[in-house]
C-alpha cells in the first residue's frame, strides 16, 4: 500500500522505505517532510512552555536553605492554570529534563496541593 489511491501525491510511490527496528530512521518521519517540521515546531513550543513554567516557579516560589526555589503544587496550579491548562504535563516534561523535582508519579489538583516542587 505504498501508493494511496485517494491521493494525487506521487512522492510516496517513488521513495523506497527501508526502516528496520532499531535503525536511526525507524519511527521518524522522512527528512524534510512537513511531518518532521510539525514535530520540530511542537518540540520547540513545549520547550518554551517548560521555560515559562520554570520562570513562574522562580517568581512565585521561596528560596529554601539549600538555595533552591520551591513552591507547592497548589500555589503553582493556581498561578499557572491562567496561562496554560497543561500544568501537570509540562511539570512531567520539566522533571524528565531534570529541571524540577517533586515526589510521586503524577500530581492531582486538590489531593496533591501540598506537594513541594523544587526548581533545580
Amino acid at each position: 500500500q505504498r501508493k494511496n489511491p485517494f491521493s494525487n501525491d506521487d512522492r510516496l510511490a517513488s521513495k523506497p522505505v527501508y526502516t528496520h527496528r532499531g535503525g536511526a530512521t525507524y519511527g521518524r518521519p522522512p527528512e524534510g517532510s512537513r511531518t518532521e517540521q510539525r514535530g520540530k515546531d511542537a518540540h520547540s513550543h513545549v520547550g518554551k512552555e517548560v521555560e515559562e513554567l520554570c520562570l513562574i516557579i522562580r517568581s512565585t516560589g521561596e528560596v529554601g536553605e539549600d538555595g533552591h526555589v520551591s513552591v507547592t503544587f497548589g500555589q503553582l496550579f493556581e498561578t499557572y492554570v491562567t496561562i496554560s491548562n497543561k500544568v501537570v504535563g509540562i511539570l512531567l516534561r520539566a522533571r524528565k529534563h531534570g529541571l524540577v523535582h517533586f515526589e510521586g508519579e503524577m500530581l492531582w489538583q486538590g489531593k496533591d496541593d501540598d506537594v513541594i516542587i523544587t526548581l533545580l
Side-chain angles (χ1 to χ4, degrees), residues 45 49 52-53 56 73 76-91 107 109:
H45 178 73
E49 284 206 34
E52 188 174 8
L53 177 75
I56 289 174
F73 175 67
L76 179 65
F77 189 89
E78 290 301 319
T79 304
Y80 194 76
V81 79
T82 60
I83 297 166
S84 173
N85 61 351
K86 300 178 283 287
V87 179
V88 176
I90 298 300
L91 268 173
L107 297 174
Q109 182 186 10

Side-chain angles (χ1 to χ4, degrees), residues 27-42:
R28 301 215 178 255
E31 201 170 314
S33 68
R34 287 184 278 174
T35 302
E36 181 189 39
Q37 187 58 46
R38 284 191 296 268
K40 287 179 180 180
D41 292 345

